[in-house]
Amino acid sequence: MPVYFIDTFIIVFYMGGILVFGLFFRKYVSTTEDFFLAGKMLPWWVIGFSIIGTNIGAYDYIGAAGGAFRFGIAQANYEWLGAIPAMIVSALLVIPYFWRSGVYTVPEYLGKRYQESVRTIEAFIYGLFLVALLGIFFWASGLMLHTYLGWPLRLSILITAVIVGVYTITGGLAAVAVTDVVQLGVMFVGGISVAIIGFWKAGGVKVFFANLASAHPQHLKVFLPLDNPDYPWLGMIFGLGLVLSPAWWCANQSIIQRTLGARSEWDAKAGMLFAAFPKMMVPLLVILPGFFALMFASPSEIANPDQALPWVIRNLLPPGLAGLVFVAFVAALHSSVDSTLNSASTLWTRDIYQRYVRRDASDRHYLFVGRVLTGCFVVFGVLFAPVTDKFPGIYVAMQNLLSFFQGPTLATLLLGILWWRSTKWGGLFGLTGGVASAGVMFLFKMNFLYVAWWSFVVSGLINIIVSLITLPEKPEKLRGLVYGFIERDKKAQEILKQKAEG
Amino acid sequence: MSFFEHVPVFSGKVLITFLYLLLAFWVIKRSKSFIYEGAPTKRNWRDLRFWALVLIGIQIALYLIF
């Protein structure tokens, strides 16, 4: 594929610009709160855009376009049913409790609500997952620059690592969140450009959809029959909509961390709700290219659905625009890498280092550790990147391992927030029992959507049974952590009564 | 799963619409003091219930269209 000067210029300009812009935020970091939570100064609109910038990765672009090419608009379930309801629940139920309890991480909340072992299990699993993801992200990023621009592979990986690493280490969450906003803008400009060109080539939006409906009517059906191996409608609603999606939007540290850096509780809630609006439009970016490939390419040109988007870039876009869409890919990867770095550093510093290595050090010390860990993760990601290529199953294995935890994590979190009677032993046994049940179901080769649902149910049931046969928690422990607990908390009611009486 | 195999795909649309309506009901029941907690002013556009209801409305429309 030919690369024009204008394409290379756009890419280099973006990379230089984002580095300089990110570095600007280093002067605002002097404490751990500044580094991990952006000094609790983020307004709702930055949180919203940053959440979606983090959420969209280059894998989503390629995988979702391939999914749309193969199955049609059912792929959009991941952006609609698989996000919007969970984001509303996260904003109006879960986030206020995280924000009010003053925690830095999701495991920290679980530790306060249940016990430290629950916190450690969650922090360790999610911490490992985030660090392993970095290697995969760096490899994908290097491979993209190498394939498109012809730069040496290792140099391409190093360039990504230096750009993202430098502004994340110096500027912390503030730099990550604000650069995410810019990166999301680039992604939407690139995606909308593809949509405009595609519709123009088809002769208009109406003509395009009329042709698609007559040639591939099944591609405009959002729910597919139960015998579909990948997207059965029942699994979509119960597995994706009721478990996997809420687990992602309520308990994923990379997502939640932005809301914890909000300047007020209202900004935290509004940020998540605001993010749902661009999220609904993500199918424009990721689904339409799959449809364009389906309608314009001959069947022999696309042997693998994942080639749908590269085909569109190669065959539909003019010079300059191809560079812009490529920058959108790079921006998607950068926004995922910086968020993963910052969240991994937060988890390992707060939940592991501060808890098990050095408990009572100064804030300055933990800020230093957070920065050093971020640097270590960058180095690890660069070294680990080639390994992910030698073992292509690593990403799938990591995703499978994480899916074991998502149902049980959600059950533990929701029962912790909604049910005052849930005890520390209920939380621990519910979480571990749910994960074990997911492992057993996986061995029986159950679809991962059903594994998520049933491990959620098993985890919840174990939590309820164990909680009912163990002693209730003391009110002092639950104060401010459980929904509606104030109605049962006599001491808190007395204080409120005294205040009301003057 | 054999029982569900005979359930038409259209039931999915009915079920998802019902779940969205249930969510809308829950959103409406959130108290004003909770919604505005931390907000600098109590202007109408800051009422997050309204934001959530717009999102739910668009979602129901999308699932009914496709």
Side-chain angles (χ1 to χ4, degrees):
Chain A
M1 176 184 175
V3 180
Y4 298 91
F5 171 76
I6 181 74
D7 294 329
T8 311
F9 174 77
I10 290 172
I11 293 160
V12 174
F13 180 78
Y14 161 78
M15 288 197 202
I18 208 74
L19 177 62
V20 172
F21 187 58
L23 276 172
F24 172 76
F25 293 91
R26 72 184 186 281
K27 62 182 177 186
Y28 296 110
V29 178
S30 55
T31 64
T32 49
E33 189 174 90
D34 297 335
F35 187 70
F36 294 128
L37 298 182
K40 288 216 165 212
M41 290 295 287
L42 295 178
W44 57 274
W45 59 273
V46 170
I47 296 168
F49 284 133
S50 175
I51 284 174
I52 297 304
T54 300
N55 180 241
I56 305 172
Y59 276 105
D60 297 295
Y61 266 104
I62 294 170
F69 178 84
R70 206 169 147 208
F71 296 114
I73 205 161
Q75 179 69 36
N77 278 312
Y78 282 91
E79 320 299 335
W80 296 342
L81 152 70
I84 310 302
M87 292 169 89
I88 294 171
V89 170
S90 180
L92 300 183
L93 177 68
V94 178
I95 286 171
Y97 286 94
F98 287 155
W99 205 89
R100 287 174 196 176
S101 59
V103 295
Y104 282 51
T105 67
V106 176
E108 197 176 341
Y109 172 84
L110 291 173
K112 272 189 170 185
R113 175 61 183 84
Y114 291 108
Q115 56 177 309
E116 286 301 318
S117 49
V118 175
R119 175 183 182 179
T120 306
I121 292 170
E122 285 285 326
F124 197 67
I125 288 296
Y126 281 91
L128 275 182
F129 178 73
L130 291 174
V131 173
L133 265 186
L134 283 169
I136 296 163
F137 286 155
F138 279 135
W139 180 256
S141 181
L143 201 61
M144 272 164 59
L145 291 170
H146 171 69
T147 310
Y148 189 76
L149 296 176
W151 295 354
L153 187 56
R154 286 191 183 276
L155 178 70
S156 304
I157 292 173
L158 271 178
I159 288 171
T160 304
V162 168
I163 291 172
V164 180
V166 165
Y167 75 71
T168 309
I169 290 169
T170 53
L173 182 64
V176 169
V178 180
T179 51
D180 279 351
V181 177
V182 178
Q183 285 152 349
L184 183 70
V186 173
M187 284 183 240
F188 266 91
V189 170
I192 289 167
S193 306
V194 173
I196 291 170
I197 296 277
F199 285 135
W200 177 69
K201 293 217 170 180
V205 179
K206 273 189 179 176
V207 178
F208 176 79
F209 279 107
N211 291 341
L212 181 67
S214 64
H216 304 278
Q218 200 64 20
H219 274 62
L220 288 176
K221 303 258 185 253
V222 77
F223 284 135
L224 298 179
L226 286 176
D227 57 3
N228 185 290
D230 296 294
Y231 300 153
W233 67 266
L234 201 62
M236 278 287 167
I237 294 177
F238 282 92
L240 178 67
L242 297 184
V243 180
L244 285 176
S245 160
W248 176 267
W249 293 100
C250 297
N252 185 307
Q253 179 65 24
S254 312
I255 299 294
I256 293 296
Q257 196 164 339
R258 276 122 196 79
T259 64
L260 300 178
R263 61 187 173 188
S264 71
E265 183 185 316
W266 185 87
D267 284 85
K269 293 182 287 199
M272 180 59 87
L273 277 181
F274 178 62
F277 287 96
K279 182 67 179 168
M280 270 198 299
M281 292 193 284
V282 168
L284 265 181
L285 273 65
V286 297
I287 305 285
L288 278 177
F291 283 171
F292 293 146
L294 184 70
M295 293 301 286
F296 299 138
S298 63
S300 60
E301 285 180 287
I302 300 177
N304 176 353
D306 284 351
Q307 291 170 348
L309 186 62
W311 184 91
V312 168
I313 295 175
R314 264 198 312 272
N315 296 282
L316 285 191
L317 304 182
L321 205 52
L324 187 66
V325 173
F326 184 76
V327 164
F329 273 121
V330 177
L333 260 173
H334 283 184
S335 65
S336 302
V337 173
D338 61 16
S339 306
T340 306
L341 267 176
N342 189 251
S343 297
S345 167
T346 313
L347 276 177
W348 283 96
T349 307
R350 292 282 301 185
D351 296 319
I352 306 289
Y353 182 86
Q354 200 166 341
R355 170 96 189 106
Y356 293 105
V357 182
R358 209 168 152 189
R359 266 178 184 257
D360 300 313
S362 65
D363 187 71
R364 202 180 166 80
H365 174 78
Y366 293 125
L367 173 62
F368 175 73
V369 170
R371 281 181 157 151
V372 169
L373 280 175
T374 310
C376 291
F377 295 148
V378 172
V379 174
F380 174 82
V382 170
L383 296 176
F384 188 60
V387 180
T388 63
D389 183 50
K390 289 197 175 70
F391 300 96
I394 284 181
Y395 184 65
V396 177
M398 290 301 300
Q399 290 284 11
N400 280 333
L401 182 67
L402 191 70
S403 73
F404 291 1
F405 278 83
Q406 283 181 309
T409 298
L410 182 69
T412 309
L413 179 64
L414 287 184
L415 279 171
I417 289 176
L418 291 172
W419 194 39
W420 68 275
R421 189 64 181 77
S422 183
T423 65
K424 61 181 181 180
W425 296 113
L428 179 63
F429 284 105
L431 179 66
T432 50
V435 173
S437 74
V440 172
M441 286 180 246
F442 181 75
L443 288 178
F444 282 97
K445 299 193 186 306
M446 199 185 261
N447 180 305
F448 78 101
L449 293 169
Y450 296 124
V451 171
W453 167 253
W454 287 115
S455 62
F456 167 77
V457 172
V458 170
S459 174
L461 282 175
I462 295 174
N463 190 326
I464 290 168
I465 291 166
V466 175
S467 294
L468 288 175
I469 57 174
T470 48
L471 289 174
E473 303 293 346
K474 289 178 180 166
E476 302 84 65
K477 185 183 170 189
L478 302 180
R479 208 163 281 153
L481 301 175
V482 180
Y483 179 77
F485 184 67
I486 197 158
E487 289 163 18
R488 296 184 163 272
D489 189 351
K490 286 178 186 164
K491 200 174 173 184
Q493 283 190 354
E494 268 176 33
I495 294 168
L496 285 175
K497 201 175 167 188
Q498 282 170 3
K499 274 191 178 176
E501 286 169 358
Chain B
M1 296 307 295
S2 56
F3 165 75
F4 288 108
E5 276 166 19
H6 302 290
V7 180
V9 175
F10 181 75
S11 327
K13 291 198 176 208
V14 176
L15 181 58
I16 197 73
T17 307
F18 171 74
L19 290 174
Y20 272 121
L21 289 175
L22 210 61
L23 183 63
F25 178 72
W26 177 77
V27 167
I28 293 166
K29 295 291 280 179
R30 303 291 84 199
S31 71
K32 256 192 172 179
S33 58
F34 168 79
I35 292 290
Y36 283 112
E37 180 69 45
T41 61
K42 293 198 174 177
R43 289 187 182 170
N44 285 341
W45 72 269
R46 288 188 184 272
D47 189 340
L48 299 175
R49 290 173 300 186
F50 176 67
W51 297 26
L53 290 176
V54 170
L55 286 165
I56 291 170
I58 297 172
Q59 281 290 289
I60 290 176
L62 285 169
Y63 275 90
L64 289 180
I65 291 168
F66 294 106

